[in-house]
Amino acid sequence: MEEIHVESSNGSGFGYVAEPGDVQISNFFHNRDIVGAGPVVEALIRRDQPVAFLCNLEVEEEFRGNGQGAALMDEFMDEVALQDANLIFLICDNSESQVDGFNLQAWYESLGFQVLMLESQNSAFPLMVYDGQDDFLNLLED
């Protein structure tokens, strides 16, 4: 497992890249009580490629809405690519306070993330995935 830390003067992000078969892959889903995670973990095993998990991305509240989050995400995604991972999972915390009119889930979607499923049947915390090769969702259907 390779940890990834990204930082700016007003924000930071943390995640990791796990190699195929790493216990951290199943732990990410099971520790968060994600309903229906079994097929996702099985597809990741079949895929046999590194996978990244974004655990936290935060910009200080008074600095939100001016591109700092996007810069941190770009840096995180660049670091993930250096680890040969092109699949990124995250839990979108829609309950977090945002700048008026800012929709966190829509923002992640604008970066290419898709809602895969809901965590613990709670729509405030959807599991999202970025698939740089566009192959993972096909594996889930197989």
Side-chain angles (χ1 to χ4, degrees), residues 28 32 34 54 89-93 108 119 125-128:
F28 178 86
R32 288 163 179 82
I34 298 173
L54 178 63
F89 287 92
L90 62 84
I91 303 291
C92 178
D93 185 353
Y108 281 124
E119 178 185 21
F125 302 100
L127 172 67
M128 301 185 78

Side-chain angles (χ1 to χ4, degrees), residues 30 67 70 96 102 104 106 141:
H30 296 295
E96 178 74 27
F102 184 79
L104 184 60
E141 294 172 1

